[in-house]
Amino acid sequence: MRVLVVEDEESLASALERGLQNLGYTVDVAYDGEEALEQTGKAHYDVICLDLNLPRVDGLEVCRRLRAELFSGGVIMLTARSGIRERVEGLDHGADDYLVKPFAFSELAARIRAVTRREAGPLYPVVSARGLELNPNRNSVKRNELSIELTPKEFELLYYLAKHEGRAIPQEELIQHVWDDRMNPFTQTVKVHMNNLRRKLTNSLGEPMITTVRGKGYVL
Ligand code: CA
């Protein structure tokens, strides 16, 4: 799950970024409305946490434009204003929910879960591949009814590979879909997570289910 935090208050932005990363989300941050629109043009976000008072383009306008471009993810407005008029305006502009600042992080996390559950139907189907059943709404992997324990990152990697079963996926494509923008594409991170994942997923002969195709990528 990829989340965009749009917040010009840097300390709040980085607190939200860290908190959401700890919950296993892939997180990007934009510090003004224009940057937010740029980011959403580049990557798909499942949820946007959108501050209302923003430099350059304000939150309401960002939300209106996103919906005009048929953005289908969830939008949670973060607002210092508690007036009914602003809330109604936010919802009218296409926000799914809103939180009045200051809010508890746990409340934001709960709202994100609620919004993504609503979105979960068509966007995150259960995927079956090579005898594995992956449920992204519960981050669970099962084989013959037995659960396989994966970290959130490992799950996201496997889910991506399973959706493209049989196709070799280059590392750059995995970085684009499973990590945030700031990851250096030359880092060893993908390899490390992939090695852990391969150790956990072996067939009846003890061979890894994920194989590497030289020069092409990883394939399930
Ligand atoms: Ca602000």
Side-chain angles (χ1 to χ4, degrees), residues 91-202:
L91 298 171
D92 277 350
H93 279 69
D96 295 290
D97 208 344
Y98 63 88
L99 273 175
V100 177
K101 291 179 190 175
F103 52 83
F105 178 75
S106 56
E107 188 169 9
L108 176 64
R111 300 285 172 97
I112 290 177
R113 281 196 298 276
V115 165
T116 51
R117 259 201 303 278
R118 277 207 291 279
E119 306 288 333
L123 279 176
Y124 298 104
V126 170
V127 167
S128 303
R130 306 242 281 140
L132 301 171
E133 190 186 287
L134 288 87
N135 184 335
N137 308 306
R138 268 177 282 160
N139 267 18
S140 75
V141 185
K142 283 185 178 168
R143 183 166 47 190
N144 305 327
E145 294 304 306
L146 289 175
S147 295
I148 301 171
E149 289 296 321
L150 298 182
T151 66
K153 249 338 161 213
E154 288 164 1
F155 180 87
E156 282 190 76
L157 274 175
L158 181 62
Y159 187 67
Y160 194 82
L161 291 175
K163 276 197 298 189
H164 302 94
E165 183 187 359
R167 176 161 82 80
I169 313 285
Q171 175 163 306
E172 305 77 66
E173 189 176 332
L174 291 171
I175 291 174
Q176 164 67 25
H177 286 89
V178 179
W179 272 274
D180 53 55
D181 309 344
R182 274 176 309 261
M183 183 163 142
N184 174 351
F186 302 104
T187 107
Q188 294 296 303
T189 310
V190 176
K191 246 178 216 136
V192 171
H193 285 282
M194 196 57 86
N195 285 341
N196 293 337
L197 185 56
R198 292 174 65 162
R199 256 202 305 280
K200 292 180 183 180
L201 289 175
T202 50

Side-chain angles (χ1 to χ4, degrees), residues 4 6 46-52 59-60 63-64 66-67 71-81 83-101 103-119:
L4 179 65
V6 188
D46 302 291
V47 181
I48 300 180
C49 302
L50 182 62
D51 182 28
L52 207 52
L60 281 180
C63 194
R64 196 190 59 74
L66 283 174
R67 292 308 188 197
F71 171 74
S72 62
V75 176
I76 299 172
M77 289 247 177
L78 311 177
T79 169
R81 313 169 192 164
I84 287 175
R85 197 175 60 81
E86 283 80 11
R87 282 183 239 165
V88 170
E89 224 176 350
L91 298 171
D92 277 350
H93 279 69
D96 295 290
D97 208 344
Y98 63 88
L99 273 175
V100 177
K101 291 179 190 175
F103 52 83
F105 178 75
S106 56
E107 188 169 9
L108 176 64
R111 300 285 172 97
I112 290 177
R113 281 196 298 276
V115 165
T116 51
R117 259 201 303 278
R118 277 207 291 279
E119 306 288 333

